[in-house]
Amino acid sequence: MITRSPSLTEQVKAHLKERIVGGDFEEGRIPSETELAADLGVSRTTIRDALSRLEHEGSIYRKQGAGTFVNQPGLQIKSRLEEMWSYEEVLRDHGYTPSVRVGEMRTEPAGEQVAADLKLEPGEPLIVIEKLFLENDLPVVLTTNRLPQRLVSVPVRASDARKPLYGLLEDHCDRFLSYYLSEIVPVALGTYEAGRLGVARRTPALSFEEIGFDQENEPVVNATSFFRDDLLRLRLIRRKAGA
Amino acid sequence: MITRSPSLTEQVKAHLKERIVGGDFEEGRIPSETELAADLGVSRTTIRDALSRLEHEGSIYRKQGAGTFVNQPGLQIKSRLEEMWSYEEVLRDHGYTPSVRVGEMRTEPAGEQVAADLKLEPGEPLIVIEKLFLENDLPVVLTTNRLPQRLVSVPVRASDARKPLYGLLEDHCDRFLSYYLSEIVPVALGTYEAGRLGVARRTPALSFEEIGFDQENEPVVNATSFFRDDLLRLRLIRRKAGA
DNA sequence: CAGTGGTCTAGACCACTTT
DNA sequence: AAGTGGTCTAGACCACTGA
């Protein structure tokens, strides 16, 4: 049962998370680190790593000298902004059963901004994929991804576009998406976006403007996303740096 | 020179951060963990902790088997959303020289929502403090904090309201602000907020709606903030959970 | 193959809370 | 005083990269 991959720490974290949400811990008190280490047969360091991650994501809190406790308010957060990865997963975490619709797929020359973002010459061809994520035919997220055509080694067909973007990058470009550098921009939806999302023109919405980087830290994709705020509320935990 | 408090790890992190932004590392390559440990006279674990924090905040990236490198794009982020703490600091990080103006201070009975957020009975008195953060007389952030009057042990005067909120809670309520649970909400600014921020009515803006918790994990403050998007752009790094 | 980061262990000592 | 989390060490072994 105890194996590598995922790491011991991840296994311990998952195990504890399960017990936490299952209400296994009376009155919200979690056993001491020493006790957990003995029970699970791992070192205290491993326990501490797992607990640190749970604390960071808001599931528990610790008080030096006192103990470790379940953090009820933190458990309400379904998906944290810094850890949103695939929109399908985000929707599932919210209890939805998401579907994906590929709105459009085309090529276009890179504009100045996108070229700078992706370290291309202006005019280099981009593959543009527009996707809509829905819950029960209700549009929730609209995304547009632009990636350099020259990265593509295996041709992309329309049916491939359904894949999550990181999967597409792996399968067709042999690149592994590592992280996004994102800006959050408030907008009043234009006619086109509002139409796609099924809301009135000028509805206030959040948008992400972001650049995705691969493991080599090379920019591989430029993405813009719009959210239906009434269906998907973005949450996060803010704390002092270094805490 | 080497002392406790801040922790060794924090000192190492600060030291490395300085060298990173100072361009000390040729071609972006950072010495190996073993080497750093020997140079600085600390254990590899301490080095790893410091590097992990730098990696998490986007200053560096690591490639197993290859090495550790400076992450130029990540260095552009002045203040990360999850680690915004005091708006004055955020503005300073952006190169501004911020000033604070206390707009209004009053008491009002708690409405249903705020009462639920702060675990109060509806109608309990709240202290409401509205503050405006400016750069060169240009308003950038407008915040409204609501805290239960009964938490206050030392009376709050108008001059006290200038303090950062966490300082006010410490001095007057003996509570220590631990974290905020925040929602990001897109809005079209109303007449009042637009006026305070010096922009046109209906300008799209981001707002935070959040609850602040203390070390005991008790809710202590309800806060709403509005941002001038043209002066303060919110950025963050999104990565896969657990990475 | 040597060198790098990734994971894990066992144990020490400290700071703090609670009784 | 006893028990808790916070920090740090030294060392082992693994997985991966690149020459």
Side-chain angles (χ1 to χ4, degrees):
Chain A
M1 169 73 185
I2 299 251
T3 63
R4 289 217 166 67
S5 168
S7 69
L8 251 188
T9 302
E10 275 305 316
Q11 295 178 58
V12 170
K13 183 193 153 190
H15 169 84
L16 292 174
K17 181 65 177 279
E18 211 170 296
R19 292 175 66 184
I20 289 168
V21 302
D24 269 24
F25 299 116
E26 307 286 330
E27 305 179 16
R29 189 187 185 88
I30 291 170
S32 77
E33 299 178 349
T34 321
E35 199 175 331
L36 287 173
D39 285 357
L40 301 179
V42 300
S43 77
R44 193 186 150 206
T45 308
T46 302
I47 296 289
R48 276 188 65 75
D49 278 354
L51 289 176
S52 294
R53 298 186 194 186
L54 289 170
E55 180 179 35
H56 197 81
E57 74 175 41
S59 301
I60 63 171
Y61 65 101
R62 308 201 261 196
K63 274 165 59 184
Q64 175 167 162
T68 304
F69 307 89
V70 174
N71 187 3
Q72 282 301 341
L75 286 177
Q76 298 164 1
I77 303 192
K78 304 298 182 196
S79 51
R80 292 162 53 238
L81 202 48
E82 323 90 82
E83 292 195 346
M84 287 176 49
W85 198 237
S86 135
Y87 290 123
E88 285 182 81
E89 266 177 49
V90 171
L91 293 180
R92 266 195 292 274
D93 289 342
H94 275 76
Y96 298 154
T97 48
S99 59
V100 188
R101 195 176 295 165
V102 177
E104 193 188 356
M105 195 173 125
R106 63 177 193 276
T107 61
E108 70 177 29
E112 292 247 342
Q113 183 60 52
V114 178
D117 287 350
L118 299 179
K119 294 207 247 172
L120 304 172
E121 296 300 318
E124 274 199 59
L126 299 169
I127 297 181
V128 183
I129 301 173
E130 183 192 297
K131 285 196 275 194
L132 198 58
F133 297 84
L134 311 94
E135 144 72 359
N136 265 338
D137 291 327
L138 269 177
V140 183
V141 185
L142 174 69
T143 78
T144 306
N145 290 296
R146 290 161 214 273
L147 50 133
Q149 178 130 49
R150 68 173 159 86
L151 290 185
V152 177
S153 50
V154 180
V156 180
R157 302 176 195 181
S159 59
D160 297 320
R162 304 187 75 81
K163 294 187 247 194
L165 190 75
Y166 60 85
L168 189 141
L169 281 164
E170 289 174 20
D171 297 346
H172 297 264
C173 310
D174 201 37
R175 302 282 186 138
F176 295 82
L177 199 56
S178 173
Y179 68 94
Y180 285 101
L181 207 153
S182 309
E183 290 189 358
I184 307 179
V185 186
V187 297
L189 289 176
T191 310
Y192 178 73
E193 288 82 14
R196 303 289 286 147
L197 286 170
V199 296
R201 194 164 90 86
R202 291 196 181 150
T203 301
L206 292 177
S207 75
F208 278 172
E209 288 183 9
E210 41 196 8
I211 307 172
F213 293 84
D214 69 5
Q215 228 92 13
E216 313 291 321
N217 217 40
E218 291 296 322
V220 289
V221 62
N222 167 295
T224 307
S225 308
F226 299 91
F227 302 87
R228 279 275 299 257
D229 170 65
D230 52 336
L231 298 174
L232 183 64
R233 188 56 72 86
L234 301 182
R235 285 173 229 266
L236 78 157
I237 292 175
R238 282 172 56 207
R239 24 166 70 91
K240 198 168 8 184
Chain B
M1 169 74 184
I2 299 251
T3 63
R4 289 215 167 65
S5 169
S7 69
L8 250 188
T9 302
E10 275 305 317
Q11 295 178 58
V12 171
K13 182 192 156 194
H15 169 83
L16 291 174
K17 181 66 177 278
E18 211 169 297
R19 293 175 65 183
I20 289 168
V21 303
D24 269 23
F25 300 116
E26 306 286 328
E27 304 177 17
R29 188 186 187 89
I30 291 170
S32 76
E33 300 178 347
T34 320
E35 199 175 329
L36 287 173
D39 285 356
L40 301 179
V42 300
S43 76
R44 191 184 151 208
T45 309
T46 302
I47 296 290
R48 275 189 66 73
D49 279 354
L51 289 176
S52 295
R53 297 187 194 184
L54 289 170
E55 180 179 35
H56 197 82
E57 75 175 41
S59 302
I60 63 170
Y61 65 101
R62 308 201 260 198
K63 273 166 60 185
Q64 176 167 161
T68 304
F69 308 88
V70 173
N71 187 2
Q72 282 300 341
L75 285 177
Q76 299 164 1
I77 304 192
K78 304 298 183 196
S79 51
R80 291 161 55 236
L81 203 49
E82 324 89 84
E83 292 195 345
M84 286 175 50
W85 197 238
S86 135
Y87 289 123
E88 284 182 83
E89 266 177 49
V90 171
L91 293 181
R92 264 194 293 272
D93 288 343
H94 275 74
Y96 297 155
T97 47
S99 59
V100 187
R101 194 177 295 165
V102 177
E104 193 187 357
M105 196 174 125
R106 62 177 193 276
T107 61
E108 70 177 28
E112 292 248 342
Q113 183 60 53
V114 179
D117 286 351
L118 299 179
K119 296 206 247 172
L120 304 173
E121 297 301 318
E124 274 199 60
L126 299 170
I127 297 181
V128 182
I129 301 173
E130 184 190 296
K131 283 195 276 194
L132 198 58
F133 297 84
L134 311 94
E135 145 71 359
N136 265 338
D137 291 327
L138 270 177
V140 183
V141 185
L142 173 70
T143 77
T144 307
N145 291 295
R146 292 160 213 272
L147 50 133
Q149 178 130 50
R150 68 173 160 85
L151 289 186
V152 177
S153 49
V154 180
V156 180
R157 303 177 194 179
S159 60
D160 298 320
R162 304 187 75 81
K163 294 188 247 196
L165 190 75
Y166 60 85
L168 190 142
L169 282 165
E170 289 173 20
D171 297 346
H172 298 264
C173 311
D174 202 37
R175 304 282 185 137
F176 294 82
L177 199 56
S178 172
Y179 68 95
Y180 285 102
L181 207 153
S182 309
E183 291 189 358
I184 306 179
V185 186
V187 296
L189 289 176
T191 310
Y192 179 73
E193 288 83 13
R196 302 290 285 148
L197 284 171
V199 296
R201 195 164 90 86
R202 290 196 182 150
T203 300
L206 293 176
S207 74
F208 279 172
E209 290 183 8
E210 41 196 8
I211 308 173
F213 294 84
D214 68 7
Q215 228 92 14
E216 314 290 321
N217 219 38
E218 292 295 322
V220 290
V221 62
N222 167 296
T224 307
S225 308
F226 299 91
F227 302 87
R228 279 275 300 258
D229 170 64
D230 53 336
L231 297 176
L232 183 63
R233 189 55 72 85
L234 301 183
R235 285 173 227 266
L236 78 158
I237 291 174
R238 284 172 54 208
R239 24 166 68 93
K240 198 167 9 183

mmCIF file with all atom_site columns, all heavy atoms in Angstrom, chain B residues 55-69:
data_model
loop_
_atom_site.group_PDB
_atom_site.id
_atom_site.type_symbol
_atom_site.label_atom_id
_atom_site.label_alt_id
_atom_site.label_comp_id
_atom_site.label_asym_id
_atom_site.label_entity_id
_atom_site.label_seq_id
_atom_site.pdbx_PDB_ins_code
_atom_site.Cartn_x
_atom_site.Cartn_y
_atom_site.Cartn_z
_atom_site.occupancy
_atom_site.B_iso_or_equiv
_atom_site.pdbx_formal_charge
_atom_site.auth_seq_id
_atom_site.auth_comp_id
_atom_site.auth_asym_id
_atom_site.auth_atom_id
_atom_site.pdbx_PDB_model_num
ATOM 1   N N   . GLU B 1 55 ? 11.169 29.504 -5.024  1.00 0.00 ? 55 GLU B N   1
ATOM 2   C CA  . GLU B 1 55 ? 10.554 28.888 -6.192  1.00 0.00 ? 55 GLU B CA  1
ATOM 3   C C   . GLU B 1 55 ? 9.051  29.162 -6.184  1.00 0.00 ? 55 GLU B C   1
ATOM 4   O O   . GLU B 1 55 ? 8.465  29.515 -7.205  1.00 0.00 ? 55 GLU B O   1
ATOM 5   C CB  . GLU B 1 55 ? 10.797 27.376 -6.193  1.00 0.00 ? 55 GLU B CB  1
ATOM 6   C CG  . GLU B 1 55 ? 10.174 26.675 -7.383  1.00 0.00 ? 55 GLU B CG  1
ATOM 7   C CD  . GLU B 1 55 ? 10.435 25.182 -7.386  1.00 0.00 ? 55 GLU B CD  1
ATOM 8   O OE1 . GLU B 1 55 ? 10.470 24.574 -6.288  1.00 0.00 ? 55 GLU B OE1 1
ATOM 9   O OE2 . GLU B 1 55 ? 10.606 24.612 -8.472  1.00 0.00 ? 55 GLU B OE2 1
ATOM 10  N N   . HIS B 1 56 ? 8.458  29.009 -5.002  1.00 0.00 ? 56 HIS B N   1
ATOM 11  C CA  . HIS B 1 56 ? 7.010  29.197 -4.891  1.00 0.00 ? 56 HIS B CA  1
ATOM 12  C C   . HIS B 1 56 ? 6.608  30.615 -5.258  1.00 0.00 ? 56 HIS B C   1
ATOM 13  O O   . HIS B 1 56 ? 5.564  30.836 -5.877  1.00 0.00 ? 56 HIS B O   1
ATOM 14  C CB  . HIS B 1 56 ? 6.554  28.864 -3.471  1.00 0.00 ? 56 HIS B CB  1
ATOM 15  C CG  . HIS B 1 56 ? 5.097  28.637 -3.369  1.00 0.00 ? 56 HIS B CG  1
ATOM 16  N ND1 . HIS B 1 56 ? 4.519  27.428 -3.694  1.00 0.00 ? 56 HIS B ND1 1
ATOM 17  C CD2 . HIS B 1 56 ? 4.083  29.455 -3.012  1.00 0.00 ? 56 HIS B CD2 1
ATOM 18  C CE1 . HIS B 1 56 ? 3.214  27.528 -3.533  1.00 0.00 ? 56 HIS B CE1 1
ATOM 19  N NE2 . HIS B 1 56 ? 2.924  28.738 -3.115  1.00 0.00 ? 56 HIS B NE2 1
ATOM 20  N N   . GLU B 1 57 ? 7.403  31.577 -4.872  1.00 0.00 ? 57 GLU B N   1
ATOM 21  C CA  . GLU B 1 57 ? 7.055  32.967 -5.191  1.00 0.00 ? 57 GLU B CA  1
ATOM 22  C C   . GLU B 1 57 ? 7.514  33.356 -6.583  1.00 0.00 ? 57 GLU B C   1
ATOM 23  O O   . GLU B 1 57 ? 7.308  34.491 -6.995  1.00 0.00 ? 57 GLU B O   1
ATOM 24  C CB  . GLU B 1 57 ? 7.606  33.921 -4.132  1.00 0.00 ? 57 GLU B CB  1
ATOM 25  C CG  . GLU B 1 57 ? 9.101  34.141 -4.220  1.00 0.00 ? 57 GLU B CG  1
ATOM 26  C CD  . GLU B 1 57 ? 9.565  35.195 -3.209  1.00 0.00 ? 57 GLU B CD  1
ATOM 27  O OE1 . GLU B 1 57 ? 9.086  35.176 -2.079  1.00 0.00 ? 57 GLU B OE1 1
ATOM 28  O OE2 . GLU B 1 57 ? 10.406 36.029 -3.580  1.00 0.00 ? 57 GLU B OE2 1
ATOM 29  N N   . GLY B 1 58 ? 8.116  32.408 -7.304  1.00 0.00 ? 58 GLY B N   1
ATOM 30  C CA  . GLY B 1 58 ? 8.408  32.654 -8.708  1.00 0.00 ? 58 GLY B CA  1
ATOM 31  C C   . GLY B 1 58 ? 9.776  33.249 -9.002  1.00 0.00 ? 58 GLY B C   1
ATOM 32  O O   . GLY B 1 58 ? 10.060 33.580 -10.144 1.00 0.00 ? 58 GLY B O   1
ATOM 33  N N   . SER B 1 59 ? 10.640 33.390 -8.003  1.00 0.00 ? 59 SER B N   1
ATOM 34  C CA  . SER B 1 59 ? 11.937 34.010 -8.240  1.00 0.00 ? 59 SER B CA  1
ATOM 35  C C   . SER B 1 59 ? 12.920 33.069 -8.925  1.00 0.00 ? 59 SER B C   1
ATOM 36  O O   . SER B 1 59 ? 13.831 33.517 -9.621  1.00 0.00 ? 59 SER B O   1
ATOM 37  C CB  . SER B 1 59 ? 12.561 34.490 -6.921  1.00 0.00 ? 59 SER B CB  1
ATOM 38  O OG  . SER B 1 59 ? 11.699 35.403 -6.280  1.00 0.00 ? 59 SER B OG  1
ATOM 39  N N   . ILE B 1 60 ? 12.762 31.786 -8.705  1.00 0.00 ? 60 ILE B N   1
ATOM 40  C CA  . ILE B 1 60 ? 13.661 30.808 -9.302  1.00 0.00 ? 60 ILE B CA  1
ATOM 41  C C   . ILE B 1 60 ? 12.854 29.614 -9.822  1.00 0.00 ? 60 ILE B C   1
ATOM 42  O O   . ILE B 1 60 ? 11.661 29.502 -9.554  1.00 0.00 ? 60 ILE B O   1
ATOM 43  C CB  . ILE B 1 60 ? 14.692 30.268 -8.278  1.00 0.00 ? 60 ILE B CB  1
ATOM 44  C CG1 . ILE B 1 60 ? 13.960 29.527 -7.152  1.00 0.00 ? 60 ILE B CG1 1
ATOM 45  C CG2 . ILE B 1 60 ? 15.551 31.375 -7.715  1.00 0.00 ? 60 ILE B CG2 1
ATOM 46  C CD1 . ILE B 1 60 ? 14.881 28.760 -6.225  1.00 0.00 ? 60 ILE B CD1 1
ATOM 47  N N   . TYR B 1 61 ? 13.508 28.759 -10.582 1.00 0.00 ? 61 TYR B N   1
ATOM 48  C CA  . TYR B 1 61 ? 12.901 27.476 -10.898 1.00 0.00 ? 61 TYR B CA  1
ATOM 49  C C   . TYR B 1 61 ? 13.969 26.402 -10.846 1.00 0.00 ? 61 TYR B C   1
ATOM 50  O O   . TYR B 1 61 ? 15.150 26.691 -10.985 1.00 0.00 ? 61 TYR B O   1
ATOM 51  C CB  . TYR B 1 61 ? 12.186 27.505 -12.248 1.00 0.00 ? 61 TYR B CB  1
ATOM 52  C CG  . TYR B 1 61 ? 13.081 27.718 -13.441 1.00 0.00 ? 61 TYR B CG  1
ATOM 53  C CD1 . TYR B 1 61 ? 13.462 26.645 -14.246 1.00 0.00 ? 61 TYR B CD1 1
ATOM 54  C CD2 . TYR B 1 61 ? 13.535 28.988 -13.781 1.00 0.00 ? 61 TYR B CD2 1
ATOM 55  C CE1 . TYR B 1 61 ? 14.285 26.832 -15.350 1.00 0.00 ? 61 TYR B CE1 1
ATOM 56  C CE2 . TYR B 1 61 ? 14.349 29.179 -14.878 1.00 0.00 ? 61 TYR B CE2 1
ATOM 57  C CZ  . TYR B 1 61 ? 14.719 28.109 -15.660 1.00 0.00 ? 61 TYR B CZ  1
ATOM 58  O OH  . TYR B 1 61 ? 15.525 28.304 -16.742 1.00 0.00 ? 61 TYR B OH  1
ATOM 59  N N   . ARG B 1 62 ? 13.534 25.182 -10.622 1.00 0.00 ? 62 ARG B N   1
ATOM 60  C CA  . ARG B 1 62 ? 14.485 24.098 -10.469 1.00 0.00 ? 62 ARG B CA  1
ATOM 61  C C   . ARG B 1 62 ? 14.200 23.015 -11.488 1.00 0.00 ? 62 ARG B C   1
ATOM 62  O O   . ARG B 1 62 ? 13.041 22.747 -11.820 1.00 0.00 ? 62 ARG B O   1
ATOM 63  C CB  . ARG B 1 62 ? 14.371 23.505 -9.069  1.00 0.00 ? 62 ARG B CB  1
ATOM 64  C CG  . ARG B 1 62 ? 14.458 24.567 -8.003  1.00 0.00 ? 62 ARG B CG  1
ATOM 65  C CD  . ARG B 1 62 ? 14.837 23.984 -6.687  1.00 0.00 ? 62 ARG B CD  1
ATOM 66  N NE  . ARG B 1 62 ? 13.703 23.800 -5.800  1.00 0.00 ? 62 ARG B NE  1
ATOM 67  C CZ  . ARG B 1 62 ? 13.820 23.627 -4.493  1.00 0.00 ? 62 ARG B CZ  1
ATOM 68  N NH1 . ARG B 1 62 ? 14.997 23.591 -3.929  1.00 0.00 ? 62 ARG B NH1 1
ATOM 69  N NH2 . ARG B 1 62 ? 12.741 23.456 -3.759  1.00 0.00 ? 62 ARG B NH2 1
ATOM 70  N N   . LYS B 1 63 ? 15.249 22.409 -11.975 1.00 0.00 ? 63 LYS B N   1
ATOM 71  C CA  . LYS B 1 63 ? 15.095 21.285 -12.889 1.00 0.00 ? 63 LYS B CA  1
ATOM 72  C C   . LYS B 1 63 ? 15.884 20.117 -12.320 1.00 0.00 ? 63 LYS B C   1
ATOM 73  O O   . LYS B 1 63 ? 17.101 20.199 -12.191 1.00 0.00 ? 63 LYS B O   1
ATOM 74  C CB  . LYS B 1 63 ? 15.604 21.647 -14.289 1.00 0.00 ? 63 LYS B CB  1
ATOM 75  C CG  . LYS B 1 63 ? 14.546 22.315 -15.140 1.00 0.00 ? 63 LYS B CG  1
ATOM 76  C CD  . LYS B 1 63 ? 15.133 22.971 -16.363 1.00 0.00 ? 63 LYS B CD  1
ATOM 77  C CE  . LYS B 1 63 ? 15.860 22.002 -17.278 1.00 0.00 ? 63 LYS B CE  1
ATOM 78  N NZ  . LYS B 1 63 ? 16.526 22.704 -18.407 1.00 0.00 ? 63 LYS B NZ  1
ATOM 79  N N   . GLN B 1 64 ? 15.161 19.090 -11.979 1.00 0.00 ? 64 GLN B N   1
ATOM 80  C CA  . GLN B 1 64 ? 15.812 17.941 -11.357 1.00 0.00 ? 64 GLN B CA  1
ATOM 81  C C   . GLN B 1 64 ? 16.937 17.438 -12.247 1.00 0.00 ? 64 GLN B C   1
ATOM 82  O O   . GLN B 1 64 ? 16.761 17.252 -13.438 1.00 0.00 ? 64 GLN B O   1
ATOM 83  C CB  . GLN B 1 64 ? 14.801 16.816 -11.104 1.00 0.00 ? 64 GLN B CB  1
ATOM 84  C CG  . GLN B 1 64 ? 15.465 15.576 -10.556 1.00 0.00 ? 64 GLN B CG  1
ATOM 85  C CD  . GLN B 1 64 ? 14.512 14.545 -9.983  1.00 0.00 ? 64 GLN B CD  1
ATOM 86  O OE1 . GLN B 1 64 ? 14.863 13.406 -9.835  1.00 0.00 ? 64 GLN B OE1 1
ATOM 87  N NE2 . GLN B 1 64 ? 13.296 14.939 -9.667  1.00 0.00 ? 64 GLN B NE2 1
ATOM 88  N N   . GLY B 1 65 ? 18.066 17.222 -11.641 1.00 0.00 ? 65 GLY B N   1
ATOM 89  C CA  . GLY B 1 65 ? 19.199 16.708 -12.385 1.00 0.00 ? 65 GLY B CA  1
ATOM 90  C C   . GLY B 1 65 ? 20.007 17.771 -13.095 1.00 0.00 ? 65 GLY B C   1
ATOM 91  O O   . GLY B 1 65 ? 21.142 17.528 -13.493 1.00 0.00 ? 65 GLY B O   1
ATOM 92  N N   . ALA B 1 66 ? 19.415 18.954 -13.259 1.00 0.00 ? 66 ALA B N   1
ATOM 93  C CA  . ALA B 1 66 ? 20.104 19.983 -14.035 1.00 0.00 ? 66 ALA B CA  1
ATOM 94  C C   . ALA B 1 66 ? 20.615 21.124 -13.158 1.00 0.00 ? 66 ALA B C   1
ATOM 95  O O   . ALA B 1 66 ? 21.780 21.508 -13.257 1.00 0.00 ? 66 ALA B O   1
ATOM 96  C CB  . ALA B 1 66 ? 19.182 20.530 -15.108 1.00 0.00 ? 66 ALA B CB  1
ATOM 97  N N   . GLY B 1 67 ? 19.757 21.658 -12.311 1.00 0.00 ? 67 GLY B N   1
ATOM 98  C CA  . GLY B 1 67 ? 20.204 22.762 -11.484 1.00 0.00 ? 67 GLY B CA  1
ATOM 99  C C   . GLY B 1 67 ? 19.078 23.707 -11.100 1.00 0.00 ? 67 GLY B C   1
ATOM 100 O O   . GLY B 1 67 ? 17.903 23.434 -11.344 1.00 0.00 ? 67 GLY B O   1
ATOM 101 N N   . THR B 1 68 ? 19.453 24.827 -10.529 1.00 0.00 ? 68 THR B N   1
ATOM 102 C CA  . THR B 1 68 ? 18.505 25.843 -10.087 1.00 0.00 ? 68 THR B CA  1
ATOM 103 C C   . THR B 1 68 ? 18.834 27.139 -10.819 1.00 0.00 ? 68 THR B C   1
ATOM 104 O O   . THR B 1 68 ? 20.002 27.491 -10.954 1.00 0.00 ? 68 THR B O   1
ATOM 105 C CB  . THR B 1 68 ? 18.614 26.041 -8.568  1.00 0.00 ? 68 THR B CB  1
ATOM 106 O OG1 . THR B 1 68 ? 18.417 24.794 -7.930  1.00 0.00 ? 68 THR B OG1 1
ATOM 107 C CG2 . THR B 1 68 ? 17.572 27.026 -8.070  1.00 0.00 ? 68 THR B CG2 1
ATOM 108 N N   . PHE B 1 69 ? 17.793 27.832 -11.280 1.00 0.00 ? 69 PHE B N   1
ATOM 109 C CA  . PHE B 1 69 ? 18.008 28.976 -12.157 1.00 0.00 ? 69 PHE B CA  1
ATOM 110 C C   . PHE B 1 69 ? 17.140 30.163 -11.761 1.00 0.00 ? 69 PHE B C   1
ATOM 111 O O   . PHE B 1 69 ? 16.058 29.994 -11.187 1.00 0.00 ? 69 PHE B O   1
ATOM 112 C CB  . PHE B 1 69 ? 17.696 28.585 -13.609 1.00 0.00 ? 69 PHE B CB  1
ATOM 113 C CG  . PHE B 1 69 ? 18.426 27.352 -14.057 1.00 0.00 ? 69 PHE B CG  1
ATOM 114 C CD1 . PHE B 1 69 ? 17.870 26.091 -13.858 1.00 0.00 ? 69 PHE B CD1 1
ATOM 115 C CD2 . PHE B 1 69 ? 19.686 27.452 -14.635 1.00 0.00 ? 69 PHE B CD2 1
ATOM 116 C CE1 . PHE B 1 69 ? 18.562 24.943 -14.252 1.00 0.00 ? 69 PHE B CE1 1
ATOM 117 C CE2 . PHE B 1 69 ? 20.372 26.304 -15.025 1.00 0.00 ? 69 PHE B CE2 1
ATOM 118 C CZ  . PHE B 1 69 ? 19.815 25.056 -14.828 1.00 0.00 ? 69 PHE B CZ  1
#
